[in-house]
Amino acid sequence: MSSAAAEDAAGTPAPSSGPRRRKSVTGTRRTVAALFLLPALVLLGALVVYPIGYSLIRSFLSQSGDSFAGFDNYRALFTDDGIRTALKNNIIWVVFAPTVSTALGLIFAVLTERVRWGTAFKLVVFMPMAISMLAAGIIFRLVYDQDPDKGVANAVWVGVHDTFAESSAFPKAHPGRQSPLRPDRGGFVTATTVHTGRTAALPLVGVAPDRMPKSAGPAARAQPQPGKVTGTAWQDFTRGKGVGKLGAVDPAEQGYAGMRIEAVKDGRVVASTKAAADGTFTLPAAADGARLRLPASNFREPYNGVDWLGPALVTPAVIGAYVWMWAGFAMVLIAAGLAGVPRELLEAARVDGANEWQVFRRVTVPLLAPVLAVVTVTLMINVLKIFDLVFIIPPGSSQDDANVLALELYRKGFSEDQPGIASAIAVFLLLLVIPVMLFNIRRLRREVRR
C-alpha cells in the first residue's frame, strides 16, 4: 500500500522517513541571521576578545616584550608596595561603597513613598547621575578644600566647631621687648606677683590691626582700687617711627577685648576674669600675692577644619563622592522593585500588630532582597573599575594613599613604562570581576524564569 493510501485509510499523514529541519520562529534562515550578527561579532572580537587575549599574553612577557617572564609580573602584584596599597583600597571600596549606596538608596526609596514631594526628592537625589565622573571629581576637590572659605565641608565643620569651642582672636599675640610676661604652658605668666591697690601691665604684640576683634576699643590705663587688683592687657604697638612709649598705654593703641586673665597661687587658679573692650580688668582680693597668667586658650590657632584629603581620610572622602553620585541610581532601582511589592502583605503585617520598623525589617527588606542583591552586585562591579574620582580628587601628596588597581594600572602602563605589570593588573581585575558578573547574570536569569 502506498503512503498516500495509508494516509487516506488512517486519516493521518504517514511519518517521514528522514529527519525534519526545524524552521526558525521568525522564518529567518540561520545564514541570514549569522550575516546580521556578523558586524556585532566583529566589533565584540576587536574591542573585547582581542584586548583580553593580548593583555593575557603580554602579562607573561618582560617589560620590553622580547622575552618570556613567567609569573614575575603576577608576583609583583603582591610584592610591590604601590600595588598592595591599591589592592587594600579596592577591598575597602568593594566593602563600603556599594553597601552605603544601597542602604541610602533603600532608605530614600522607602521614605519618599510616604511624602507628597517624593518625586521631586527622587529627582534631586538622582541628578548627580547626570554629571560625569570628571565633573564630580572637580566639584568634590573644591568641596574638600582645606580652606573653610573655599571648601564647603570645612566651612560647615568649622561653623559647628566654633559654635561650641570658639577660636581665639589673638593666636599670634606674644610678649614684646622688656615685657613683664614669661612663657608658661602655651600661655604667658607675670614674672612677679601682684598686689591689691596696685595696677598690673600686660603688654603684648603680634596681632595685626585688621585682625583685632571688632569689640576692641582704644586701650585705657587702669586705675588702682582698694582691695582689688586692676590692670590692662593691650596691644603695645603704635605705627610710625618714634611714636608711642614702650610698656605704657598710648592713645592710638587697642585693648585686648575678651582676653582671659587668671590669678595663680601655688599652681592653683584663685580668681579669673576677662578684659573689657579697652583692655582693663579687675580681680578680687583673692588675687593678692598671685601671679597673673594669660592661659593658652587666649592664643589658640583658628580651627581650620578637617584635612579631608590627607593620607588618613582621603579614601573615605573619595568614597563619599562616589556615594553622592550612585545613591540615586540605587534609589531608582529599589523604588521600582518597591512598587511591585504587594500592598496587602504590608497591610496584613500592620493588622497583625507589627510596627513600621518591624514591617520594614521583616516584610519589605526580604521582599526586596533580589533587587537589593542586583543593585549591590552591580555597584561592586562598578567600584572594582573605579578610576576617575581617585585620579582627580586626591592631591598629589596623598594620591598614593588613595591608590586603586585601575589607577595603578594607568600608572604602570603610561607613567612608569611597565606594560607587563600593567597587563597583569588588567588580567587580575578581570578575574575579580568575572565571578561577581556571573553571579549577577545567574540572578537575573532566575528572575526572568519567575
Side-chain angles (χ1 to χ4, degrees):
M1 184 183 290
S2 67
S3 62
E7 182 178 348
D8 292 339
T12 56
S16 176
S17 58
R20 298 180 62 185
R21 296 184 63 184
R22 182 178 295 177
K23 195 174 182 181
S24 171
V25 175
T26 59
T28 306
R29 294 181 180 178
R30 292 182 180 179
T31 307
V32 176
L35 288 174
F36 275 103
L37 288 175
L38 186 61
L41 293 175
V42 170
L43 285 176
L44 185 67
L47 300 179
V48 178
V49 178
Y50 173 75
I52 291 175
Y54 180 81
S55 297
L56 181 62
I57 295 171
R58 190 66 182 83
S59 66
F60 290 102
L61 301 179
S62 64
Q63 304 311 319
S64 62
D66 298 332
S67 59
F68 182 72
F71 287 94
D72 290 348
N73 293 325
Y74 289 95
R75 195 176 295 112
L77 299 181
F78 304 98
T79 56
D80 185 276
D81 290 337
I83 299 177
R84 286 194 297 178
T85 300
L87 184 59
K88 180 195 72 174
N89 288 335
N90 262 102
I91 295 173
I92 295 173
W93 270 90
V94 169
V95 171
F96 289 101
T99 305
V100 176
S101 299
T102 305
L104 285 177
L106 175 61
I107 293 171
F108 292 154
V110 172
L111 294 182
T112 51
E113 266 207 329
R114 299 177 173 271
V115 294
R116 184 176 301 173
W117 39 268
T119 303
F121 181 83
K122 288 178 182 178
L123 179 63
V124 172
V125 175
F126 187 74
M127 195 176 294
M129 282 294 298
I131 303 174
S132 68
M133 286 280 195
L134 173 65
I138 294 172
I139 290 170
F140 274 86
R141 181 68 179 268
L142 296 174
V143 167
Y144 291 133
D145 196 286
Q146 182 68 40
D147 187 354
D149 294 332
K150 297 179 182 178
V152 175
N154 268 338
V156 174
W157 199 264
V158 169
V160 173
H161 174 274
D162 289 351
T163 301
F164 300 99
E166 187 176 356
S167 300
S168 169
F170 319 108
K172 302 296 183 182
H174 60 274
R177 293 180 292 115
Q178 303 176 13
S179 174
L181 295 169
R182 300 290 181 268
D184 177 69
R185 293 182 294 178
F188 305 99
V189 66
T190 55
T192 58
T193 57
V194 295
H195 298 279
T196 56
R198 301 180 186 177
T199 61
L202 304 178
L204 294 167
V205 295
V207 181
D210 59 340
R211 295 290 184 180
M212 291 291 286
K214 295 180 180 179
S215 57
R221 184 177 301 173
Q223 301 300 320
Q225 298 181 26
K228 294 183 179 180
V229 175
T230 58
T232 304
W234 83 101
Q235 173 90 336
D236 189 22
F237 175 77
T238 305
R239 286 183 175 179
K241 188 176 181 180
V243 179
K245 185 178 179 182
L246 191 66
V249 177
D250 296 310
E253 296 169 345
Q254 289 183 295
Y256 279 127
M259 177 74 74
R260 184 174 182 80
I261 299 102
E262 298 175 343
V264 182
K265 284 184 181 179
D266 301 325
R268 185 170 59 89
V269 177
V270 296
S272 64
T273 187
K274 285 187 177 182
D278 58 3
T280 59
F281 61 88
T282 303
L283 290 166
D288 185 60
R291 295 176 186 268
L292 299 186
R293 182 173 68 188
L294 304 178
S297 59
N298 290 314
F299 313 103
R300 187 187 303 117
E301 291 285 343
Y303 182 66
N304 289 321
V306 178
D307 188 10
W308 298 104
L309 299 181
L313 293 176
V314 63
T315 295
V318 181
I319 291 176
Y322 178 88
V323 170
W324 176 77
M325 290 191 67
W326 287 88
F329 167 82
M331 178 195 66
V332 170
L333 292 188
I334 295 170
L338 193 60
V341 172
R343 300 302 168 189
E344 56 269 18
L345 295 179
L346 304 180
E347 294 303 326
R350 294 188 182 101
V351 170
D352 289 341
N355 56 37
E356 291 301 322
W357 169 245
Q358 290 172 327
V359 172
F360 173 76
R361 188 165 58 93
R362 299 291 181 85
V363 181
T364 305
V365 172
L367 289 174
L368 289 175
V371 178
L372 296 177
V374 169
V375 172
T376 304
V377 172
T378 303
L379 292 179
M380 286 174 65
I381 295 172
N382 187 268
V383 299
L384 280 172
K385 304 176 294 181
I386 192 69
F387 169 79
D388 315 64
L389 294 178
V390 183
F391 183 72
I392 297 167
I393 296 177
S397 58
S398 60
Q399 196 172 73
D400 289 341
D401 300 284
N403 199 10
V404 291
L405 288 174
L407 179 59
E408 187 65 17
L409 186 157
Y410 170 81
R411 286 178 166 183
K412 296 295 185 187
F414 297 98
S415 299
E416 301 177 17
D417 195 22
Q418 298 183 28
I421 296 179
S423 299
I425 296 174
V427 173
F428 183 66
L429 268 176
L430 179 64
L431 294 176
L432 292 178
V433 169
I434 285 176
V436 184
M437 189 169 57
L438 290 177
F439 174 81
N440 210 16
I441 292 172
R442 288 182 61 186
R443 180 168 287 277
L444 288 173
R445 284 180 177 175
R446 199 176 306 150
E447 290 299 317
V448 170
R449 291 194 194 103
R450 289 180 184 177

